[in-house]
Amino acid sequence: MARKKIIAGNWKMNMTPSEAVELVNTLKPLVTTEDADVVFCVPAIDIIPAIEAAKGSNIQIGAENMYYEEKGAFTGEISPNMLTDVGVKYVIIGHSERREYFAETDETVNKKVLKAFEHGITPIICCGESLTQREQGITIDWIRQQIKIAFLNVTAEQAASAVVAYEPIWAIGTGKTATTEQAQEVCKAIRECIAEIYDDATAAAIRIQYGGSVNADTAAELFAQPDIDGGLVGGASLKPDFGKIVNYK
């Protein structure tokens, strides 16, 4: 069975709640495709108004982060049950910005992944290399390490329903995009790594996105690759152009 594309917007630290509602209402008529799952991962304060605004559309609202405990003395954090209570089905975990600025590690990513599955939330698990790592020729080794630790103690059934987002750090917000060949090569390596950890069926089921300056001009070629099942879109998800990315065909 063909994997359904998943195109997710990562709003990052943008959009006030009222702006979020306006953007969802603008994008709703532009992203009516049945061929792809459409997800907006929005700042925590925007989740509830965005869910309300997206009602009756095919837009699903996700979170940009969550903590790996149910509740407790963790000031400023959002728990998985807070997300499920309002209807969140997706959460971005381990984005390179979280790793760089907020000290996330492969181990904390793994804890969050396990907790997301426990609560029936689909994790969008991010991986990616820096420019130095790519220049030193260790991209695939680095990504495999990130994937293997992220999926520690995750069952094959859970893994099959996960989403992995490959985002070369050097291509995020820089205007640089990995070539189609580079993106496909790494996404193929991720699928092969999943097959090693689990089996071919799990690897065939998992959806792998490419992210990193994806725009309306590059989407069609990227998404046509055999191992690229959509995109995690940053800046372009804040504009009506996101509709063109979703309707890439």
Side-chain angles (χ1 to χ4, degrees), residues 67-68 93-94 99 103-115 145-153:
Y67 200 53
Y68 51 76
I93 292 178
R99 295 177 192 253
E104 291 211 356
T105 65
D106 289 338
E107 288 72 22
T108 58
V109 166
N110 175 240
K111 286 181 176 181
K112 290 182 178 187
V113 167
L114 292 170
K115 189 55 75 172
Q145 176 178 308
Q146 288 184 313
I147 293 298
K148 286 194 168 186
I149 298 176
F151 282 86
L152 195 62
N153 297 321

Side-chain angles (χ1 to χ4, degrees), residues 3 47 54 56 89 110 119 179 188 194 217 233:
R3 293 180 299 273
I47 290 171
K89 299 285 197 308
N110 175 240
H119 285 266
T179 64
K188 180 171 185 271
I194 294 293
D217 297 328
V233 183

Side-chain angles (χ1 to χ4, degrees), residues 87-108:
V88 167
K89 299 285 197 308
Y90 291 89
V91 61
I92 297 173
I93 292 178
H95 192 278
S96 61
E97 289 155 5
R98 298 289 320 166
R99 295 177 192 253
E100 182 180 354
Y101 304 130
F102 305 104
E104 291 211 356
T105 65
D106 289 338
E107 288 72 22
T108 58

Side-chain angles (χ1 to χ4, degrees), residues 2 13 38 40 77 88 104 131 155 157 184 192 201 208 233:
M13 197 178 72
V38 181
F40 294 160
E77 291 294 326
V88 167
E104 291 211 356
L131 189 57
T155 68
E157 187 183 7
Q184 162 59 20
E192 287 168 350
I208 302 171
V233 183

Side-chain angles (χ1 to χ4, degrees), residues 25-33 239-244 246-247:
N25 286 330
T26 300
L27 287 169
K28 272 198 292 196
L30 306 179
V31 295
T32 54
T33 178
K239 304 172 190 154
D241 257 17
F242 187 67
K244 294 179 188 166
V246 170
N247 301 302

Side-chain angles (χ1 to χ4, degrees), residues 74-223:
F74 306 106
T75 301
E77 291 294 326
I78 304 283
S79 72
N81 22 339
M82 291 174 187
L83 296 179
T84 54
D85 190 66
V86 295
V88 167
K89 299 285 197 308
Y90 291 89
V91 61
I92 297 173
I93 292 178
H95 192 278
S96 61
E97 289 155 5
R98 298 289 320 166
R99 295 177 192 253
E100 182 180 354
Y101 304 130
F102 305 104
E104 291 211 356
T105 65
D106 289 338
E107 288 72 22
T108 58
V109 166
N110 175 240
K111 286 181 176 181
K112 290 182 178 187
V113 167
L114 292 170
K115 189 55 75 172
F117 280 125
E118 197 181 305
H119 285 266
I121 305 172
T122 300
I124 298 174
I125 303 160
C126 297
C127 60
E129 83 284 8
S130 67
L131 189 57
T132 304
Q133 287 158 344
R134 175 159 283 276
E135 287 172 346
Q136 293 305 309
I138 62 166
T139 294
I140 302 296
D141 293 336
W142 179 260
I143 301 290
R144 282 171 57 86
Q145 176 178 308
Q146 288 184 313
I147 293 298
K148 286 194 168 186
I149 298 176
F151 282 86
L152 195 62
N153 297 321
V154 172
T155 68
E157 187 183 7
Q158 289 170 332
S161 70
V163 178
V164 172
Y166 165 56
E167 293 201 308
I169 297 166
W170 48 272
I172 298 174
T174 59
K176 288 181 183 175
T177 311
T179 64
T180 304
E181 293 73 27
Q182 286 172 325
Q184 162 59 20
E185 178 194 22
V186 178
C187 290
K188 180 171 185 271
I190 291 168
R191 203 173 300 285
E192 287 168 350
C193 186
I194 294 293
E196 279 176 40
I197 301 169
Y198 301 103
D199 50 42
D200 289 345
T202 307
I206 196 170
R207 295 189 287 179
I208 302 171
Q209 299 175 315
Y210 170 74
S213 302
V214 176
N215 59 45
D217 297 328
T218 58
E221 190 180 330
L222 283 164
F223 299 168

Side-chain angles (χ1 to χ4, degrees), residues 10-25:
N10 174 14
W11 287 11
K12 308 192 179 186
M13 197 178 72
N14 293 293
M15 298 284 146
T16 65
S18 56
E19 289 169 340
V21 169
E22 193 178 334
L23 182 58
V24 170
N25 286 330

